[in-house]
Amino acid sequence: VLKLVTDFSKEGLKLRYRMPENPADWTMGVEPFDLLALIGARDLQSSERLDAEKKKALAKRREILKAMVQERRSRAERFDSITNYLEPNLKYGPGGLRDLEQALALKTLFPEKFRGPDDQHAFDVLAYYKRFFLLVRQRLHLAEGAGDLLTAPEQAPLAEWFGFQTPRDFMKEIQKGVARVSFYADWAFEVATASRNRLAEVESQKLATPLDLFRALKKDPSVLMQNRVRSNADRVFASRGVHKELGSKKELDRLIGRELTSFIDPAKPEDALIALFRSRLIDHCVPEFRKIVGHVQHDQYHRFSVDAHILQALRELGRLRKKPKLAGKLERKLSKADWEILSFACLYHDIAKGRQGDHSVEGIAIAEHDLRAFGKTTSFIRDVAWIVEEHLILSSAAFKENPASPKTWAKLSAKGVAKKRIALLSTFTIVDIRATNPEAWTPWKERLLNEVVSNLENPDTRSAIQFASLKPEWVERLDSFLVSMVPAAKLAQDLDETATHQSGDLPPKILKTKG
């Protein structure tokens, strides 16, 4: 071994190697991960010695599992970064090769645990992404100075080399793979550490109808049950018995609507919500969701893929519902019906991302179609569709325009930002910002957003908005206090008088009020 490594090193090829502390027992004095490497080793001489050493290593499988769990926990803390969505670490990041290899190793270490009818599919998926990710990593290593980080400059040449039309398409495939590997790695560790009774309990869960799937996740949102639902959902929804039991597609849609409303309710714990997404049951509730899975938004503001952002928005809504003070001065009293409107707005606001045209406009038809099928009322659908269409206007007004200008208020008013919708849209805007990038919600943004919202809610603002709609060219030239104090019609009349006056000074105008 030493001669081989030394000779190769002289030629510029660096190889890692392990030498056993005790030639008579290769498992002595070595790290648990070296034992894992030994178990997966192949003998160049086809001797029986390696088989004997492998048996010794397998006898220490509990020790190896404990070390893997600790390493995984430590790695999760190090790589718990939203930047991993922009530039994934192919080896150490969530869903990377380290997760993948450990999951595959668990099948070798605990073969008796992985005998379920759906288990092989998981390992087939892992085997596929092992080939894909290794090829990406090897090609990345051939680039000068590149490591395990799939940086933005490397993504374009890699996409071209693989034959993808755009870097975005390539990264979408990467993100889909990372998400699937992360899920199946979590599942493999859950299986390896679970008791036989626990595994039997999950396996015995009846999953014959869509309602069975929803009930199973509500009762047990664990990764084990998520995988069972994930493996059976396609079969259940394609079954002829589904429509026979429910009577019609309309009844199935209404059932989905009721269950979906319950799962995304911000007043409830988020375990079931996360299970809905990770089990992929959400794909059967909202079929258009499949198209945004892994869709990457490459900029320094959007840190998550679209599907991850939508889940994050629903989680942030739940946090705000349970802890209103997170909104600071923008905290508003909302009814249960308002929170339900916001939850569906979170679900659909970016559903049309990645398509041609404005995603805010394109998303309206998708939301309206689904919500009608779910049996929601006309007014409910109207409110959700409005937020989907206008979900960016409040942040744009606060951060890109003058929040103290009647012109800004008039523009928002013309878009329907008034009365109850002010509170709805301001709450949604907070959630959307926090879910897009947690670091983006700053005291500065809170102050600007609060300024425009407070102005919109001020009773005196209405005359300013009316005047701005009547005389937009004068709005910026008059003091906003004057505009807010004098009725819009009176101001407009006075300005018309100045415009038609021929010569000489106009007499001062006196506004008489009850006070």
Side-chain angles (χ1 to χ4, degrees), residues 267-284:
K268 294 184 178 179
E270 65 177 27
D271 292 354
L273 169 66
I274 295 171
L276 178 75
F277 278 72
R278 295 199 81 195
S279 68
R280 308 310 319 162
L281 188 54
I282 185 66
D283 298 350
H284 296 276

Side-chain angles (χ1 to χ4, degrees), residues 274-433:
I274 295 171
L276 178 75
F277 278 72
R278 295 199 81 195
S279 68
R280 308 310 319 162
L281 188 54
I282 185 66
D283 298 350
H284 296 276
C285 299
V286 183
E288 293 293 331
F289 194 84
R290 297 174 188 266
K291 297 178 182 179
I292 58 170
V293 173
H295 183 77
V296 180
Q297 309 170 89
H298 274 286
D299 56 54
Q300 291 306 308
Y301 185 67
H302 294 90
R303 299 294 184 89
F304 297 108
S305 55
V306 179
D307 56 319
H309 165 66
I310 288 178
L311 172 58
Q312 197 67 12
L314 287 164
R315 296 178 70 187
E316 289 291 348
L317 185 68
R319 290 164 186 167
L320 194 60
R321 173 76 171 84
K322 299 173 185 69
K323 195 175 180 181
K325 292 190 180 298
L326 288 174
K329 293 181 179 179
L330 284 154
E331 179 184 342
R332 294 294 183 274
K333 289 186 177 180
L334 297 172
S335 66
K336 182 179 179 181
D338 293 335
W339 287 108
E340 186 178 333
I341 289 169
L342 287 169
S343 64
F344 276 94
C346 287
L347 182 61
Y348 283 98
H349 76 286
D350 278 349
I351 198 72
K353 274 280 180 78
R355 306 180 188 214
Q356 293 183 345
D358 186 344
H359 76 279
S360 300
V361 176
E362 297 295 323
I364 297 172
I366 299 171
E368 289 179 340
H369 172 273
D370 287 359
L371 293 174
R372 277 196 298 269
F374 297 157
K376 299 297 183 182
T377 65
T378 302
S379 61
F380 181 91
I381 296 172
R382 191 186 306 119
D383 284 338
V384 172
W386 178 79
I387 295 178
V388 170
E389 182 178 14
E390 308 294 356
H391 70 272
L392 296 173
I393 60 171
L394 200 56
S395 58
S396 179
F399 312 139
K400 298 179 182 179
E401 300 174 32
N402 181 3
S405 168
K407 188 177 180 180
T408 303
W409 310 338
K411 186 187 297 185
L412 290 171
S413 179
K415 292 282 190 177
V417 188
K419 299 180 180 179
K420 181 185 77 171
R421 285 183 171 179
I422 299 175
L424 284 173
L425 192 57
S426 62
T427 303
F428 177 87
T429 302
I430 296 169
V431 168
D432 194 26
I433 293 173

Side-chain angles (χ1 to χ4, degrees), residues 73-143:
R73 188 179 297 120
S74 172
R75 184 160 42 86
E77 292 175 358
R78 273 189 297 139
F79 289 90
D80 184 19
S81 168
I82 50 181
T83 57
N84 196 64
Y85 279 91
L86 286 176
E87 298 181 331
N89 187 304
L90 288 175
K91 183 174 181 179
Y92 296 110
L97 284 162
R98 178 58 65 86
D99 273 350
L100 201 155
E101 287 288 1
Q102 289 181 348
L104 291 171
L106 290 173
K107 186 183 180 184
T108 302
L109 290 172
F110 300 94
E112 75 280 3
K113 291 285 190 77
F114 298 97
R115 291 176 179 171
D118 306 316
D119 293 355
Q120 188 54 46
H121 172 72
F123 289 106
D124 289 343
V125 171
L126 290 171
Y128 167 78
Y129 282 110
K130 179 179 179 179
R131 292 191 294 272
F132 179 39
F133 286 173
L134 278 176
L135 185 58
V136 175
R137 185 174 180 236
Q138 288 159 2
R139 186 67 182 83
L140 190 62
H141 283 185
L142 290 175

Side-chain angles (χ1 to χ4, degrees), residues 47-94:
S47 68
E48 296 180 357
R49 176 66 188 277
L50 182 60
D51 291 337
E53 297 296 340
K54 282 187 177 186
K55 287 181 181 178
K56 294 178 187 176
L58 283 169
K60 299 182 179 182
R61 64 179 187 170
R62 291 290 174 188
E63 182 182 335
I64 297 172
L65 175 61
K66 183 179 179 181
M68 283 199 292
V69 169
Q70 291 176 343
E71 188 275 342
R72 201 161 183 265
R73 188 179 297 120
S74 172
R75 184 160 42 86
E77 292 175 358
R78 273 189 297 139
F79 289 90
D80 184 19
S81 168
I82 50 181
T83 57
N84 196 64
Y85 279 91
L86 286 176
E87 298 181 331
N89 187 304
L90 288 175
K91 183 174 181 179
Y92 296 110

